[in-house]
Amino acid sequence: MAAFAAVVLALGWLGIGFLHAAYLKYAALDSPAYAMFLLRRGWLWCHLAGGGLGIALGLVQLLTQRWPRLWRVHRVSGRVYFAAMLVAMVGAVGLIATSPAPTGIRVAFSSTLLAWLVTGGAGLVAILRRNVAAHRRWMLGAYLVTLAPAVFRLSLAGVVAQGVAPSPDLIAWMLWGSWAVPLLLYALWLKLVGAARRGSWAEGAALRHDRA
């Protein structure tokens, strides 16, 4: 339980920090941040609205999944979360299709979209089949992908702080890593937890056998 609380706090800090930064960046319509989106603001707003709501509701999903009294809230917010992320992806498709960025960067952005479709889709299929354990695993993975822009922002800030001017190739690699690295670490953590549980079960079975 303590580990779960620590994970939720860390993801909450990451998501809320990113939403705050995005608000400060795009709140004013005359912000310099809109320069590259002058003719694409509709797609940008679509992406920001869906993604912002997805980040907030993803955290609600994590907080309500373990308490039976909140399962109704969990189901309703889950549906809205999926809808919001689909809106975000529509905006992302529009931005990618109209982007003047190099192909490597556009492919990297597309990989994030595909990663969410795979993890979120698997989570949806799992709950439709009433496999709650698999649903929780997949949806935490989907939320890690949802937070990929926040991870990318921190990575980019770290690179710039080191005095490195990020090249298009480096930006593309950081975009890939912003979702692939968290998912890889999550998969490793699941394997370690599974191995520990199997070891505990085997030890308990051996003790029961000895006592018998």
Side-chain angles (χ1 to χ4, degrees), residues 17-89:
F18 177 76
L19 291 178
H20 182 254
Y23 173 78
L24 293 178
K25 187 175 181 180
Y26 294 108
L29 295 180
D30 58 350
S31 170
Y34 280 110
M36 63 183 298
F37 299 108
L38 184 61
L39 301 178
R40 303 186 294 149
R41 284 175 293 181
W43 294 120
L44 176 66
W45 289 337
C46 180
H47 183 59
L48 290 176
L53 187 57
I55 289 175
L57 289 180
L59 188 58
V60 172
Q61 290 298 96
L62 291 177
L63 292 172
T64 56
Q65 66 174 324
R66 293 176 180 269
W67 285 273
R69 292 183 179 179
L70 297 176
W71 282 350
R72 180 177 179 81
V73 174
H74 183 80
R75 287 192 293 269
V76 172
S77 62
R79 294 186 180 100
V80 180
Y81 169 70
F82 266 95
M85 291 305 298
L86 291 177
V87 170
M89 283 186 281

Side-chain angles (χ1 to χ4, degrees), residues 86-158:
L86 291 177
V87 170
M89 283 186 281
V90 168
V93 169
L95 289 172
I96 293 168
T98 58
S99 174
T103 301
I105 291 179
R106 286 185 283 125
V107 170
F109 272 120
S110 300
S111 74
T112 308
L113 188 154
L114 181 60
W116 194 92
L117 283 174
V118 171
T119 53
L124 179 60
V125 170
I127 198 59
L128 291 176
R129 293 178 176 175
R130 301 187 182 279
N131 189 339
V132 175
H135 171 72
R136 288 177 176 175
R137 290 194 298 270
W138 280 111
M139 291 315 298
L140 180 52
Y143 192 56
L144 292 176
V145 180
T146 302
L147 291 174
V151 176
F152 173 76
R153 170 176 167 267
L154 289 180
S155 302
L156 185 61

Side-chain angles (χ1 to χ4, degrees), residues 203-212:
E203 183 179 350
L207 286 174
R208 289 192 295 271
H209 181 268
D210 292 340
R211 289 173 182 173

